[in-house]
Amino acid sequence: LLLAIASLLFQSTAVSATLDVGGVKVEETLSIYNNTLLLNGAGLVSNGKVPSYVAQIYAKQKFKTLDELFAVPGPKRLVLTAVKELDTGPIVKMFNRSVDETAGKNDRAKLIPGLMSIGEIFKANRSLKPGEVMTLDWVPVSGMVIYIGGRMQGQPYRDAELFRAAMWVWMGDFPVDAKVKDALFGRM
């Protein structure tokens, strides 16, 4: 009996803590692909004064720059949770712009098939409903994997430049929201 009670106590303390960001529950740790990832940061992206979605980034260890994020071994996950109905069109436009900013001319040409496929994913998912989640995972053995509503979209994108471009949208030189960039880098 004592062993059972001790076991229950240990299990309850091992549960990940959650934060509330803009009404969205954000886990401090999560497990994907047999790896435990740590929340590096989370922030509320607003369109003017209207909250749109919560962005959160996870990796196997904390980081303060994009270069540090890309140097962290293992999988990484960006989570976007809609707070209100979210038009995905602006995200696609920023993604395409970030490819132009981050990829060299030769890289852009080889990224076109992936960009077209990602464009089709967003064409099929023109909006996210409140509470709906989109994740972008980087899995070293397979590439970038996109999930919307828990369902995998398309096939993994093996080119690391696509994942780099995706992260650039929220954490690059011209992010969607400078305060969210700071939050994702754990500066808030």
Side-chain angles (χ1 to χ4, degrees):
L1 181 63
L2 219 44
L3 185 59
I5 292 171
S7 176
L8 284 173
L9 287 174
F10 175 76
Q11 288 174 354
S12 67
T13 59
V15 173
S16 174
T18 60
L19 306 170
D20 185 296
V21 179
V24 172
K25 299 295 181 210
V26 176
E27 298 292 328
E28 289 191 12
T29 63
L30 56 83
S31 294
I32 62 170
Y33 312 103
N34 295 319
N35 289 267
T36 299
L37 305 185
L38 306 173
L39 174 68
N40 199 73
L44 180 62
V45 178
S46 297
N47 185 0
K49 293 185 185 224
V50 179
S52 295
Y53 61 94
V54 172
Q56 35 193 308
I57 184 77
Y58 295 86
K60 288 183 77 167
Q61 64 192 51
K62 299 285 188 169
F63 58 90
K64 294 184 180 176
T65 67
L66 271 179
D67 287 337
E68 287 180 16
L69 169 64
F70 300 133
V72 172
K76 297 140 183 75
R77 174 172 279 181
L78 177 76
V79 180
L80 306 176
T81 306
V83 174
K84 66 173 195 77
E85 179 121 357
L86 176 63
D87 177 7
T88 61
I91 293 172
V92 174
K93 286 179 186 173
M94 291 199 69
F95 181 77
N96 288 330
R97 186 184 85 194
S98 69
V99 167
D100 287 340
E101 292 174 5
T102 61
K105 193 173 187 178
N106 292 334
D107 286 336
R108 271 185 248 139
K110 73 176 184 176
L111 296 177
I112 289 174
L115 289 171
M116 291 177 64
S117 177
I118 290 169
E120 290 300 316
I121 289 170
F122 284 100
K123 196 181 287 183
N125 297 278
R126 293 187 187 273
S127 66
L128 299 178
K129 294 171 182 40
E132 194 167 17
V133 176
M134 175 170 54
T135 62
L136 294 112
D137 292 349
W138 176 255
V139 185
V141 297
S142 58
M144 183 173 74
V145 184
I146 300 172
Y147 293 90
I148 297 177
R151 291 184 37 228
M152 186 171 141
Q153 305 292 309
Q155 298 298 314
Y157 302 95
R158 297 186 75 61
D159 200 309
E161 281 302 317
L162 287 174
F163 183 72
R164 180 177 291 276
M167 297 305 99
W168 191 264
V169 170
W170 291 275
M171 295 176 279
D173 290 345
F174 305 102
V176 68
D177 184 313
K179 289 181 182 176
V180 171
K181 173 183 175 177
D182 285 342
L184 293 173
F185 282 139
R187 297 181 191 144
M188 297 180 84

